PDB file of all heavy atoms in Angstrom:
ATOM      1  N   LEU J 697     190.034 200.331  81.461  1.00 97.00           N
ATOM      2  CA  LEU J 697     190.505 201.169  82.574  1.00 97.00           C
ATOM      3  C   LEU J 697     190.874 200.223  83.712  1.00 97.00           C
ATOM      4  O   LEU J 697     190.059 199.934  84.579  1.00 97.00           O
ATOM      5  CB  LEU J 697     189.384 202.125  83.037  1.00 97.00           C
ATOM      6  CG  LEU J 697     188.724 202.999  81.977  1.00 97.00           C
ATOM      7  CD1 LEU J 697     187.425 203.598  82.502  1.00 97.00           C
ATOM      8  CD2 LEU J 697     189.675 204.115  81.552  1.00 97.00           C
ATOM      9  N   LEU J 698     192.090 199.689  83.661  1.00 97.00           N
ATOM     10  CA  LEU J 698     192.460 198.625  84.607  1.00 97.00           C
ATOM     11  C   LEU J 698     193.647 198.969  85.494  1.00 97.00           C
ATOM     12  O   LEU J 698     194.070 198.162  86.316  1.00 97.00           O
ATOM     13  CB  LEU J 698     192.752 197.326  83.833  1.00 97.00           C
ATOM     14  CG  LEU J 698     191.540 196.736  83.107  1.00 97.00           C
ATOM     15  CD1 LEU J 698     191.969 195.662  82.117  1.00 97.00           C
ATOM     16  CD2 LEU J 698     190.541 196.160  84.099  1.00 97.00           C
ATOM     17  N   ASP J 699     194.206 200.186  85.351  1.00 96.00           N
ATOM     18  CA  ASP J 699     195.364 200.547  86.181  1.00 96.00           C
ATOM     19  C   ASP J 699     194.936 200.822  87.614  1.00 96.00           C
ATOM     20  O   ASP J 699     193.880 201.411  87.848  1.00 96.00           O
ATOM     21  CB  ASP J 699     196.044 201.805  85.628  1.00 96.00           C
ATOM     22  CG  ASP J 699     196.805 201.489  84.362  1.00 96.00           C
ATOM     23  OD1 ASP J 699     197.014 200.289  84.083  1.00 96.00           O
ATOM     24  OD2 ASP J 699     197.153 202.441  83.638  1.00 96.00           O
ATOM     25  N   PHE J 700     195.796 200.430  88.558  1.00 95.00           N
ATOM     26  CA  PHE J 700     195.571 200.835  89.939  1.00 95.00           C
ATOM     27  C   PHE J 700     196.218 202.192  90.157  1.00 95.00           C
ATOM     28  O   PHE J 700     197.316 202.457  89.670  1.00 95.00           O
ATOM     29  CB  PHE J 700     196.181 199.815  90.908  1.00 95.00           C
ATOM     30  CG  PHE J 700     195.370 198.556  91.035  1.00 95.00           C
ATOM     31  CD1 PHE J 700     195.922 197.315  90.734  1.00 95.00           C
ATOM     32  CD2 PHE J 700     194.050 198.613  91.449  1.00 95.00           C
ATOM     33  CE1 PHE J 700     195.174 196.153  90.860  1.00 95.00           C
ATOM     34  CE2 PHE J 700     193.293 197.452  91.571  1.00 95.00           C
ATOM     35  CZ  PHE J 700     193.849 196.218  91.269  1.00 95.00           C
ATOM     36  N   GLU J 701     195.537 203.050  90.882  1.00 92.00           N
ATOM     37  CA  GLU J 701     196.087 204.373  91.208  1.00 92.00           C
ATOM     38  C   GLU J 701     196.929 204.264  92.472  1.00 92.00           C
ATOM     39  O   GLU J 701     196.735 203.368  93.283  1.00 92.00           O
ATOM     40  CB  GLU J 701     194.932 205.355  91.458  1.00 92.00           C
ATOM     41  CG  GLU J 701     193.986 205.530  90.287  1.00 92.00           C
ATOM     42  CD  GLU J 701     194.642 206.232  89.111  1.00 92.00           C
ATOM     43  OE1 GLU J 701     195.478 207.111  89.356  1.00 92.00           O
ATOM     44  OE2 GLU J 701     194.322 205.880  87.960  1.00 92.00           O
ATOM     45  N   ASP J 702     197.866 205.249  92.656  1.00 91.00           N
ATOM     46  CA  ASP J 702     198.682 205.240  93.874  1.00 91.00           C
ATOM     47  C   ASP J 702     197.949 205.850  95.058  1.00 91.00           C
ATOM     48  O   ASP J 702     198.264 205.602  96.207  1.00 91.00           O
ATOM     49  CB  ASP J 702     199.984 206.037  93.657  1.00 91.00           C
ATOM     50  CG  ASP J 702     200.885 205.290  92.692  1.00 91.00           C
ATOM     51  OD1 ASP J 702     200.786 204.052  92.649  1.00 91.00           O
ATOM     52  OD2 ASP J 702     201.660 205.949  91.971  1.00 91.00           O
ATOM     53  N   SER J 703     197.001 206.738  94.753  1.00 93.00           N
ATOM     54  CA  SER J 703     196.275 207.356  95.863  1.00 93.00           C
ATOM     55  C   SER J 703     194.779 207.334  95.535  1.00 93.00           C
ATOM     56  O   SER J 703     194.386 207.033  94.404  1.00 93.00           O
ATOM     57  CB  SER J 703     196.750 208.798  96.071  1.00 93.00           C
ATOM     58  OG  SER J 703     196.614 209.498  94.861  1.00 93.00           O
ATOM     59  N   TYR J 704     193.971 207.650  96.544  1.00 94.00           N
ATOM     60  CA  TYR J 704     192.518 207.609  96.357  1.00 94.00           C
ATOM     61  C   TYR J 704     192.122 208.613  95.272  1.00 94.00           C
ATOM     62  O   TYR J 704     192.511 209.780  95.309  1.00 94.00           O
ATOM     63  CB  TYR J 704     191.814 207.954  97.674  1.00 94.00           C
ATOM     64  CG  TYR J 704     190.318 207.809  97.584  1.00 94.00           C
ATOM     65  CD1 TYR J 704     189.708 206.617  97.943  1.00 94.00           C
ATOM     66  CD2 TYR J 704     189.529 208.851  97.102  1.00 94.00           C
ATOM     67  CE1 TYR J 704     188.330 206.461  97.837  1.00 94.00           C
ATOM     68  CE2 TYR J 704     188.156 208.699  96.983  1.00 94.00           C
ATOM     69  CZ  TYR J 704     187.566 207.510  97.356  1.00 94.00           C
ATOM     70  OH  TYR J 704     186.207 207.361  97.240  1.00 94.00           O
ATOM     71  N   LEU J 705     191.365 208.146  94.295  1.00 92.00           N
ATOM     72  CA  LEU J 705     190.995 209.007  93.177  1.00 92.00           C
ATOM     73  C   LEU J 705     189.635 209.652  93.454  1.00 92.00           C
ATOM     74  O   LEU J 705     188.638 208.948  93.599  1.00 92.00           O
ATOM     75  CB  LEU J 705     190.910 208.135  91.921  1.00 92.00           C
ATOM     76  CG  LEU J 705     191.084 208.833  90.591  1.00 92.00           C
ATOM     77  CD1 LEU J 705     192.479 209.447  90.489  1.00 92.00           C
ATOM     78  CD2 LEU J 705     190.868 207.831  89.457  1.00 92.00           C
ATOM     79  N   GLU J 706     189.614 210.977  93.538  1.00 93.00           N
ATOM     80  CA  GLU J 706     188.338 211.662  93.779  1.00 93.00           C
ATOM     81  C   GLU J 706     187.449 211.595  92.536  1.00 93.00           C
ATOM     82  O   GLU J 706     187.942 211.600  91.408  1.00 93.00           O
ATOM     83  CB  GLU J 706     188.584 213.139  94.120  1.00 93.00           C
ATOM     84  CG  GLU J 706     189.035 213.374  95.538  1.00 93.00           C
ATOM     85  CD  GLU J 706     188.017 212.950  96.602  1.00 93.00           C
ATOM     86  OE1 GLU J 706     186.796 213.054  96.360  1.00 93.00           O
ATOM     87  OE2 GLU J 706     188.457 212.501  97.677  1.00 93.00           O
ATOM     88  N   ARG J 707     186.176 211.547  92.762  1.00 93.00           N
ATOM     89  CA  ARG J 707     185.223 211.574  91.647  1.00 93.00           C
ATOM     90  C   ARG J 707     184.513 212.919  91.649  1.00 93.00           C
ATOM     91  O   ARG J 707     184.373 213.541  92.696  1.00 93.00           O
ATOM     92  CB  ARG J 707     184.183 210.471  91.845  1.00 93.00           C
ATOM     93  CG  ARG J 707     184.828 209.114  91.859  1.00 93.00           C
ATOM     94  CD  ARG J 707     183.854 208.059  92.315  1.00 93.00           C
ATOM     95  NE  ARG J 707     184.575 206.814  92.481  1.00 93.00           N
ATOM     96  CZ  ARG J 707     184.052 205.731  93.022  1.00 93.00           C
ATOM     97  NH1 ARG J 707     182.795 205.751  93.445  1.00 93.00           N
ATOM     98  NH2 ARG J 707     184.759 204.632  93.141  1.00 93.00           N
ATOM     99  N   ASP J 708     184.025 213.330  90.482  1.00 90.00           N
ATOM    100  CA  ASP J 708     183.285 214.590  90.415  1.00 90.00           C
ATOM    101  C   ASP J 708     182.099 214.518  91.366  1.00 90.00           C
ATOM    102  O   ASP J 708     181.457 213.472  91.481  1.00 90.00           O
ATOM    103  CB  ASP J 708     182.710 214.794  89.001  1.00 90.00           C
ATOM    104  CG  ASP J 708     183.820 214.915  87.972  1.00 90.00           C
ATOM    105  OD1 ASP J 708     184.956 215.180  88.386  1.00 90.00           O
ATOM    106  OD2 ASP J 708     183.534 214.701  86.777  1.00 90.00           O
TER     107      ASP J 708
END
Side-chain angles (χ1 to χ4, degrees):
L697 307 165
L698 295 167
D699 287 346
F700 284 121
E701 301 292 325
D702 291 332
S703 55
Y704 185 93
L705 203 63
E706 282 298 327
R707 299 169 188 172
D708 297 342

